[in-house]
Amino acid sequence: MKPGLSASEKNEVIKAAYRQIFERDITRAYGQSISYLESQVKNGDISTKEFVRRLGKSPLYQKQFFEPFINSRAQALMSVAQSKNQTEQFGEDVRSLQRLLSESAQLQNFLSNPFIQPEDKKAVINQILGENPNTYLRNFLLLLVDRRRISFLEPICRQYLALLRQLNQTVLAEVTSAIPLSEAQQQAVTQKVLAMTNARSVELDTKIDREIIGGVIIKVGSQVIDASLRGQLRRLSLRLTSS
């Protein structure tokens, strides 16, 4: 915040920051504020840019604005998919988008950049979708651009897939291994997870971490099964230390 600003001018800067993140003056609309951050920016302890960044990370924003918006948009997309009897087709398209976003920080930064014109973002989206016949998903993405919410695309994709798994009684198992798992090993993990959860089916999300040395780590919700060699060595070390 520039030095020499009056108290009223500082308040106007803060209101503008709230509007940038929440798209409204939350002190007027909801009677809410984040006073400790306001004090820091007014006193010059943090910059206005840092104030805006912390607003976007604040529990107030996450719980009352970000999460409800993500949930409502994913549910809206699911409702369209169900009405067209295309939940699985939407799921395939959403997975492709999510994979593309996770692999391209450049694309994420482009879509999130508020200084890039909406028409330029729409052109890139249309280029990505190409000849994809799913006009409902295309229109949904273009609407996110118009509403200045396209930067939330990746979490919306994640939430849609979570809703799809819930609909199909499928659980997500995050599996970490030192080397890629064979088909037989993936099937063994799937059977293990089915026995744990009584789900109808399992979706495996695999990743490689050579630091676990060998074996696997399986995470299903809050449950974690550490069958890695690193985990076994750690437990052995603890037993030897305590004996």
Side-chain angles (χ1 to χ4, degrees), residues 80-91 134 136 160:
V80 173
Q82 288 179 308
S83 69
K84 305 301 177 184
N85 198 27
Q86 294 181 14
T87 55
E88 294 299 332
Q89 179 61 53
F90 272 62
N134 192 338
Y136 306 106
Y160 176 86

Side-chain angles (χ1 to χ4, degrees), residues 18 23 36 66 110 116 128 130 165 189 199 202 215:
Y18 279 129
E23 291 195 345
Y36 69 96
F66 178 79
F110 177 86
I116 294 177
I128 290 171
R165 286 191 293 271
V189 170
V202 177

Side-chain angles (χ1 to χ4, degrees), residues 17-241:
Y18 279 129
R19 285 194 295 269
Q20 181 178 341
I21 297 299
F22 297 99
E23 291 195 345
R24 68 207 70 182
D25 180 359
I26 65 170
T27 57
R28 176 177 298 178
Y30 299 99
Q32 296 175 321
S33 66
I34 306 176
S35 57
Y36 69 96
L37 287 180
E38 289 185 15
S39 297
Q40 287 181 314
V41 72
K42 286 179 179 179
N43 295 334
D45 297 328
I46 60 174
S47 66
T48 304
K49 182 178 180 180
E50 179 62 15
F51 176 64
V52 170
R53 190 190 71 82
R54 293 189 187 184
L55 282 181
K57 298 290 185 180
S58 66
L60 174 66
Y61 178 72
Q62 293 293 320
K63 292 294 184 183
Q64 296 196 29
F65 295 89
F66 178 79
E67 292 177 8
F69 177 81
I70 297 302
N71 292 337
S72 66
R73 293 306 87 200
Q75 186 59 64
L77 187 60
M78 173 60 73
S79 296
V80 173
Q82 288 179 308
S83 69
K84 305 301 177 184
N85 198 27
Q86 294 181 14
T87 55
E88 294 299 332
Q89 179 61 53
F90 272 62
E92 290 179 15
D93 293 337
V94 166
R95 283 190 191 91
S96 297
L97 282 172
Q98 185 185 36
R99 191 178 308 113
L100 182 61
L101 289 166
S102 66
E103 293 173 353
S104 177
Q106 184 178 5
L107 176 60
Q108 287 192 47
N109 292 335
F110 177 86
L111 295 176
S112 300
N113 191 330
F115 298 106
I116 294 177
Q117 293 299 314
E119 293 307 315
D120 294 332
K121 294 182 180 181
K122 289 181 179 182
V124 168
I125 288 172
N126 283 321
Q127 184 179 356
I128 290 171
L129 295 177
E131 299 300 320
N132 189 315
N134 192 338
T135 57
Y136 306 106
L137 180 60
R138 186 187 302 269
N139 291 338
F140 177 81
L141 299 180
L142 298 181
L143 182 60
L144 286 179
V145 174
D146 289 334
R147 298 286 176 81
R148 294 185 297 171
R149 287 292 187 253
I150 192 63
S151 59
F152 295 158
L153 178 56
E154 189 172 17
I156 290 173
C157 288
R158 286 199 302 269
Q159 183 60 19
Y160 176 86
L161 295 176
L163 291 173
L164 183 60
R165 286 191 293 271
Q166 183 179 350
L167 182 68
N168 295 334
Q169 297 181 38
T170 299
V171 294
L172 175 65
E174 301 173 46
V175 184
T176 303
S177 59
I179 59 174
L181 299 178
S182 66
E183 288 189 16
Q185 289 171 322
Q186 291 188 38
Q187 184 60 33
V189 170
T190 297
Q191 293 302 317
K192 175 69 174 178
V193 174
L194 286 173
M196 287 169 51
T197 62
N198 294 319
R200 181 182 295 174
S201 60
V202 177
E203 180 181 330
L204 298 183
D205 180 14
T206 60
K207 66 177 182 179
I208 305 300
D209 181 0
R210 301 193 184 282
E211 292 189 1
I212 73 170
I213 307 174
V216 295
I217 299 174
I218 305 171
K219 183 175 183 295
V220 180
S222 60
Q223 292 182 281
V224 178
I225 300 176
D226 187 351
S228 67
L229 182 54
R230 181 181 64 185
Q232 294 175 39
L233 291 172
R234 182 185 297 120
R235 290 190 290 272
L236 176 60
S237 176
L238 289 173
R239 285 197 297 269
L240 292 174
T241 302

